[in-house]
Amino acid sequence: MSENNSFLVFSGTKTRYLAEKICASLGCPLGNLVMTRFSDGEFVVSYEQSIRGKDVYLVQSTFPNSDNLMELLLMIDAAKRASARQIIAVVPYFGWARQDRKDKPRVSIGAKLVADLLSVAGIDRLMTMDLHADQIQGFFNVPVDHLYASGVLLPYVQSLHLEDLVIASPDVGGSKRANTYAKYLGCPLVLCNKTRARANVVDTMQIIGDVKGKNVIIVDDMVDTAGTITKAADIMKEAGAKSVRAIASHCVMSGPATERVEASALEEMVFTDSIPYTARCSKVKQISVADMFAETIKRVLNNESISSQYLI
């Protein structure tokens, strides 16, 4: 790809680790962008090379804190004002996606607001992965390339060569995703039915299905405080599961998550590297999605189909 001079890849501050891997896969240098910060926390974005007439790919996950989203918005605005031909936001983790609807009176729909902010800032296309709710694609009036972490997580599951495999969903809401994995792998599906006392606090949980003597893999899209997934693992182990592992797309892992995973019945917790994980936990493993995003960028540049990238 290095001979193609029609595009440039830039990165925000906290997603540089992934942008560098994407550029290595593409065979191109990471673009030169400077983020100048003032003492009050305000910052300004400056491209240190010409981007006029180029397709500009801006790699930035919008995980907390809000600076990551603001960085991306300023990168988009600066690219638009510098006469970039097309601006493509590469957002491996799309933050605020849990606010996709009004689930009670007088609440915000944060996912729609973020979509509007990105659109008004000036993106021509969005590349993202495993949105918390698929309908968020419809919040945009530009093309959305919605990739799936199954492209890297499924090969890892298959590499374990586990017998008596069972796929589990930690809640009813994730049953569709887990069922897709179970069908692809040709194994049974188990569900966990949970009730919440409040946000991030699980009250009760029951297992629907048989896990006795089985190797269980819990599938989820993100792990935040790890309360649900560790409780599910502990209950399954108590119900006679031979082993319990978990795979999830996004490594939010906030608050007590690391300690909970370390102390749980989980043998391992596997994520993609859509969000950086800086804490230390012997059970956490990250698999890179850099090659998957790099291949998608190549195909978009060459006007090729990306559908063959989807395993499921």
Side-chain angles (χ1 to χ4, degrees):
M1 290 295 295
S2 57
E3 71 280 357
N4 190 334
N5 295 318
S6 67
F7 78 100
L8 292 164
V9 180
F10 294 91
S11 170
T13 307
K14 295 291 178 66
T15 315
R16 187 180 177 92
Y17 71 97
L18 183 56
E20 287 173 346
K21 293 180 196 172
I22 290 172
C23 286
S25 185
L26 286 168
C28 70
L30 183 61
N32 188 8
L33 178 148
V34 173
M35 200 82 62
T36 306
R37 294 183 181 271
F38 299 104
S39 62
D40 66 349
E42 186 181 325
F43 44 89
V44 62
V45 169
S46 171
Y47 291 96
E48 298 296 298
Q49 64 191 98
S50 175
I51 60 174
R52 185 179 295 274
K54 306 284 190 182
D55 290 349
V56 177
Y57 290 81
L58 307 177
V59 182
Q60 179 79 319
S61 285
T62 55
F63 55 94
N65 61 38
S66 301
D67 281 5
N68 293 305
L69 173 59
M70 195 65 197
E71 275 188 15
L72 179 58
L73 292 170
L74 290 173
M75 288 160 66
I76 295 164
D77 185 69
K80 181 174 66 176
R81 295 175 190 281
S83 302
R85 190 175 80 91
Q86 278 200 104
I87 302 167
I88 299 93
V90 181
V91 186
Y93 172 73
F94 187 92
W96 285 269
R98 283 173 281 189
Q99 300 177 48
D100 61 299
R101 67 198 185 283
K102 284 188 70 173
D103 55 355
K104 60 182 181 180
R106 298 176 296 282
V107 295
S108 61
I109 304 181
K112 172 59 174 164
L113 175 60
V114 172
D116 288 344
L117 288 169
L118 292 171
S119 299
V120 170
I123 64 167
D124 296 291
R125 188 181 203 98
L126 174 72
M127 285 184 190
T128 188
M129 182 181 76
D130 277 3
L131 289 166
H132 188 67
D134 287 347
Q135 71 263 23
I136 292 171
Q137 296 172 73
F139 294 173
F140 290 88
N141 289 320
V142 297
V144 176
D145 298 313
H146 187 205
L147 308 182
Y148 294 98
S150 55
V152 295
L153 294 176
L154 269 171
Y156 178 77
V157 171
Q158 291 172 312
S159 74
L160 297 173
H161 302 295
L162 295 172
E163 295 180 355
D164 301 315
L165 179 64
V166 167
I167 296 294
S169 173
D171 51 39
V172 176
S175 59
K176 181 181 176 184
R177 179 185 301 103
N179 186 50
T180 308
Y181 274 72
K183 279 186 176 179
Y184 184 87
L185 295 166
C187 63
L189 173 68
V190 168
L191 299 178
C192 293
N193 182 39
K194 70 178 180 184
T195 58
R196 284 195 186 276
R198 59 185 184 276
N200 292 133
V201 179
V202 178
D203 188 15
T204 62
M205 182 178 287
Q206 302 87 31
I207 301 172
I208 304 170
D210 181 27
V211 296
K212 191 170 183 179
K214 307 290 186 182
N215 290 303
V216 181
I217 294 183
I218 305 171
V219 179
D220 210 349
D221 68 321
M222 69 169 72
V223 174
D224 188 354
T225 60
T228 298
I229 214 153
T230 53
K231 191 177 183 74
D234 293 345
I235 289 172
M236 287 174 183
K237 196 72 174 175
E238 288 167 13
K242 195 185 298 182
S243 70
V244 185
R245 293 173 171 82
I247 58 173
S249 309
H250 305 299
C251 182
V252 180
M253 294 291 281
S254 65
T258 296
E259 291 76 16
R260 282 176 174 171
V261 169
E262 193 71 71
S264 73
L266 286 169
E267 293 208 2
E268 63 178 349
M269 177 78 249
V270 182
F271 296 102
T272 74
D273 58 351
S274 63
I275 298 175
Y277 180 65
T278 53
R280 293 193 174 186
C281 180
S282 62
K283 295 182 180 181
V284 171
K285 176 186 179 72
Q286 283 188 295
I287 302 173
S288 185
V289 289
D291 289 344
M292 184 171 74
F293 275 96
E295 181 62 26
T296 304
I297 290 171
K298 283 182 193 176
R299 294 186 184 199
V300 169
L301 283 166
N302 297 321
N303 295 311
E304 296 172 354
S305 170
I306 67 167
S307 59
S308 60
Q309 280 202 271
Y310 301 126
L311 287 180
I312 55 174

